[in-house]
Amino acid sequence: MDKTTYKAHVTAAFDRAAGSYDRLGVTFFTPMGRRLVERADPRPGDRVLDVGCGRGACLFHAASLVGGSGHVLGIDIAPAMVEAARREAAADGVGNVELRVMDGEFPDLPAGSFDVVIGSYSLIFFPDAQAALPRYAGLLADGGRIAFTSPVFDDDTFPFLPPVFTELIPRSLLENLPAQWRPEELQRRFNSWLAKEADLRRALELAGFRDVEIADEPVGLVAPSGEAWVNWSHTQGMRLLWEHLPDGDRERLRVRLTEALDDMREDGGPLSIETPVRYVTAGVTR
């Protein structure tokens, strides 16, 4: 994998999506982020690092818990995401939050300077996430803890989307993706250490973490309609697929998904899909 190209694609995609990211009436990232913060359990006065903070799904909840004596630093590789979160913090008068543009794979931060590190659907996406884990262990003070989320990976389902989409998205369309985003490459990168709890636990322990806890919980993905979900999907990771599809395939997939998702709605109500999420927490002891 060409890491420079990979990160440039990710940065550009999320910069373009920043204006509408998590703001189209579809709930998923915010409830997942709040649950992750609950599991991380930041206390008043804690110093928290939110890696890949986006628009602040974890950031602002963590800030409310650590209070005025605490501090939350949010970092993201996409400048537009950082700027959007910074504007929101200013508008809401949140004074214990700081935002910086930073490559989370190589955090340029002092050792032992945080009590809690949080990463919601972010840490695992680094080109070499396992190599980055010891860096985060080094950023934590004695007794500090890391908490992050991951999809629940399975060889039989399409990575990063609820299982229902494995049947809805024709596999032939995925050949339009850059090589590093095709399912076989994603499975090689992620399933090899995230799919089995024993492998994940081992990776964290080798990185210097202890007391690893892994819990799989469903998060409700709720959208007003199939069309709303499709529009929302252009603002998150699936944007990479939409942008690489030929015009005809893009329109056919839009219609296919909209109709199929609307068929799942009950009596004209919202679309609701339970999405399995893996929550991982671990601590460090010097």
Side-chain angles (χ1 to χ4, degrees):
M1 177 196 299
D2 182 335
K3 290 187 178 184
T4 301
T5 301
Y6 172 89
K7 290 181 180 180
H9 284 165
V10 171
T11 301
F14 283 99
D15 268 341
R16 290 190 294 272
S20 55
Y21 184 79
D22 209 19
R23 295 298 187 275
L24 293 180
V26 177
T27 60
F28 177 66
F29 291 116
T30 295
M32 177 174 64
R34 290 183 68 88
R35 181 62 177 140
L36 177 62
V37 172
E38 289 174 6
R39 285 190 163 276
D41 193 25
R43 289 51 177 297
D46 274 354
R47 303 158 297 170
V48 179
L49 174 63
D50 183 6
V51 184
C53 63
R55 293 285 300 263
C58 293
L59 188 83
F60 295 112
H61 187 40
S64 71
L65 295 179
V66 303
S69 60
H71 180 262
V72 182
L73 171 62
I75 62 173
D76 201 290
I77 199 171
M81 286 289 192
V82 168
E83 185 54 36
R86 186 178 287 138
R87 287 196 302 269
E88 187 164 336
D92 293 344
V94 182
N96 61 343
V97 160
E98 178 186 358
L99 282 304
R100 297 186 201 173
V101 177
M102 190 177 296
D103 180 351
E105 189 175 8
F106 299 97
D108 184 15
L109 297 164
S113 57
F114 296 95
D115 303 296
V116 180
V117 169
I118 296 171
S120 188
Y121 268 36
S122 59
L123 287 166
I124 64 166
F125 285 101
F126 298 151
D128 193 347
Q130 292 184 76
L133 288 173
R135 301 178 193 124
Y136 283 97
L139 293 182
L140 286 166
D142 186 27
R145 54 209 176 277
I146 191 170
F148 63 90
T149 51
S150 162
V152 178
F153 289 98
D154 185 307
D155 289 344
D156 297 325
T157 60
F158 182 67
F160 307 112
L161 289 174
V164 65
F165 287 93
T166 300
E167 300 299 324
L168 295 181
I169 299 176
R171 198 170 185 89
S172 60
L173 294 184
L174 305 180
E175 296 303 314
N176 292 283
L177 285 165
Q180 64 266 32
W181 289 106
R182 292 176 188 167
E184 57 273 16
E185 174 60 16
L186 294 179
Q187 289 177 348
R188 186 194 67 79
R189 283 177 56 200
F190 297 108
N191 292 31
S192 60
W193 70 286
L194 289 166
K196 296 179 180 178
E197 290 191 19
D199 293 336
L200 175 53
R201 190 179 304 276
R202 187 179 306 111
L204 284 161
E205 290 174 348
L206 288 173
F209 292 99
R210 298 293 179 266
D211 302 320
V212 179
E213 294 185 5
I214 301 168
D216 296 345
E217 296 182 5
V219 173
L221 192 163
V222 181
S225 65
E227 181 180 16
W229 186 92
V230 170
N231 290 338
W232 174 78
S233 73
H234 284 74
T235 73
Q236 36 97 331
M238 191 173 165
R239 184 185 186 104
L240 291 164
L241 174 60
W242 291 115
E243 290 183 343
H244 285 88
L245 287 177
D247 291 344
D249 286 340
R250 185 185 305 115
E251 178 59 18
R252 282 187 288 273
L253 181 60
R254 184 192 67 78
V255 171
R256 176 186 175 96
L257 291 178
T258 299
E259 292 178 349
L261 294 173
D262 278 338
D263 286 344
M264 297 179 195
R265 298 163 62 193
E266 294 186 8
D267 301 321
L271 170 71
S272 182
I273 302 173
E274 283 203 343
T275 304
V277 173
R278 176 159 290 179
Y279 293 86
V280 183
T281 58
V284 295
T285 303
R286 306 294 179 209

